[in-house]
């Protein structure tokens, strides 16, 4: 995607509730959050990158490829676009859910001791709005990927703000949990890990709560998120802002 295309895209969607765009200096990327149907070319680039990345790491079974190609189960997605116009990472939000079985985490814990607790956590939060953060990937550039991972860890907060819901849930292998939790996610520590997508991984569940995430976030991540929010015009709610000021 060229700079001219990005500028056109920004002019067309800058005033909508389902489009955000900003420059992230740490990753040297333009960050775009949008609906798949509104940005089909960008969505296709994100999907290609996800498929290539998951295949390379031998975890393609964790992707619902048919759903990705359709994009109809995705409320919003985030893409990081480098200075040459290439998509170098991204993530998506499924939902908001209306039933427990829509959540992919139920499949991930199928047959595992923690399944009942997983279902209850989802069920308890459904009335307040739940999206599931899935299909995250970053390029192999070590410096850029580290910075972009920090951006992606903040996207659940943007998704909650843009969709006006209270909760976001994600599952991740134990070795990447710290990076994702840095934005204020809380580990569901009482739910045993599940060997998903295969026995090489110990996958855990985490939640972000729009009311309380500032109490758990890394200070730098929190500060960066609120700077981003002000720049794109989020109205994130008095509770979160009050919590952040403590």
């Amino acid at each position: 995607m060229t700079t001219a295309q990005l500028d056109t895209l920004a002019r067309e969607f800058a005033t909508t509730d389902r489009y955000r765009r900003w420059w992230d200096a740490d990753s040297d990327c333009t960050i775009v959050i949008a609906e798949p149907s509104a940005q089909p070319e960008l969505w296709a680039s994100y999907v290609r990158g996800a498929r290539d990345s998951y295949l390379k790491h031998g975890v393609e079974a964790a992707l619902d490829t048919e759903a990705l190609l359709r994009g109809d189960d995705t409320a919003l997605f985030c893409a990081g676009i480098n200075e040459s116009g290439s998509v170098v990472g991204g993530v998506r939000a499924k939902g908001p859910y209306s039933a427990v079985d829509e959540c992919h985490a139920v499949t991930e814990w199928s047959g595992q001791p923690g399944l009942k607790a997983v279902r209850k956590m989802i069920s308890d939060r459904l009335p307040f709005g739940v999206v599931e953060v899935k299909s995250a990937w970053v390029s192999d550039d070590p410096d850029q990927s580290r910075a972009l991972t920090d951006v992606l860890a903040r996207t659940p907060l943007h998704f909650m703000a843009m969709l006006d819901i209270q909760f976001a849930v994600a599952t991740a292998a134990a070795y990447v949990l710290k990076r994702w939790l840095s934005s204020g996610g809380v580990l569901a520590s009482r739910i045993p890990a599940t060997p998903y997508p295969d026995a090489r991984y110990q996958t855990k569940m985490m939640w972000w709560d729009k009311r309380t995430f500032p109490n758990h976030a890394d200070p730098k991540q929190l500060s960066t998120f609120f700077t981003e929010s002000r720049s794109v015009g989020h109205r994130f709610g008095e509770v979160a802002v009050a919590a952040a000021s403590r």
Side-chain angles (χ1 to χ4, degrees):
M1 181 166 284
T2 66
T3 300
Q5 287 174 315
L6 279 172
D7 288 341
T8 299
L9 178 151
R11 286 194 297 273
E12 291 176 347
F13 294 96
T15 60
T16 70
D17 290 336
R18 298 293 180 88
Y19 176 84
R20 298 290 187 274
R21 175 190 180 219
W22 68 93
W23 171 254
D24 180 67
D26 291 334
S27 64
D28 288 329
C29 284
T30 297
I31 309 300
V32 174
I33 298 179
E35 296 174 313
S37 60
Q39 295 299 321
E41 291 184 11
L42 187 60
W43 170 253
S45 295
Y46 158 73
V47 170
R48 282 194 298 272
R51 293 174 67 184
D52 290 348
S53 178
Y54 278 55
L55 181 63
K56 180 176 181 178
H57 292 93
V59 290
E60 63 274 16
L63 284 178
D64 185 343
T65 303
E66 291 185 5
L68 272 175
L69 291 174
R70 294 192 311 269
D72 57 3
D73 67 345
T74 300
L76 294 169
F77 75 104
C78 174
I81 305 165
N82 68 12
E83 291 181 302
S84 66
S86 298
V87 175
V88 290
V91 69
R92 67 189 181 115
K94 293 179 60 181
Y97 291 144
S98 58
V100 171
D101 286 327
E102 292 177 312
C103 187
H104 196 267
V106 172
T107 299
E108 296 175 27
W109 266 267
S110 179
Q112 296 297 315
L115 179 59
K116 184 176 180 180
V118 165
R119 294 184 65 90
K120 186 177 189 310
M121 290 195 82
I122 299 166
S123 178
D124 289 347
R125 290 160 176 76
L126 280 181
F128 307 98
V130 173
V131 292
E132 189 173 18
V133 180
K134 299 297 292 180
S135 312
W137 67 276
V138 292
S139 72
D140 291 332
D141 181 302
D143 293 329
Q144 187 169 66
S145 66
R146 278 193 294 270
L148 192 55
T149 297
D150 287 340
V151 175
L152 299 187
R154 297 191 296 271
T155 55
L157 311 181
H158 290 287
F159 291 154
M160 289 189 293
M162 293 171 69
L163 296 169
D164 192 24
I165 59 172
Q166 186 173 337
F167 293 103
V169 60
T171 61
Y175 71 94
V176 297
L177 281 175
K178 185 176 180 181
R179 300 296 292 276
W180 280 96
L181 293 171
S182 67
S183 60
V186 176
L187 183 68
S189 57
R190 294 187 180 183
I191 295 178
T194 184
Y196 184 87
D198 57 49
R200 293 174 297 168
Y201 299 92
Q202 289 292 294
T203 292
K204 298 283 288 181
M205 172 180 271
M206 68 194 88
W207 289 87
W208 290 261
D209 183 333
K210 185 166 70 172
R211 302 173 308 165
T212 62
F213 75 87
N215 299 328
H216 307 286
D218 173 85
K220 182 179 179 181
Q221 283 282 70
L222 185 63
S223 174
T224 302
F225 168 70
F226 279 112
T227 298
E228 292 169 348
S229 295
R230 286 190 292 270
S231 73
V232 298
H234 282 334
R235 294 175 177 86
F236 207 77
E238 295 178 2
V239 174
V241 173
S245 65
R246 292 175 187 168

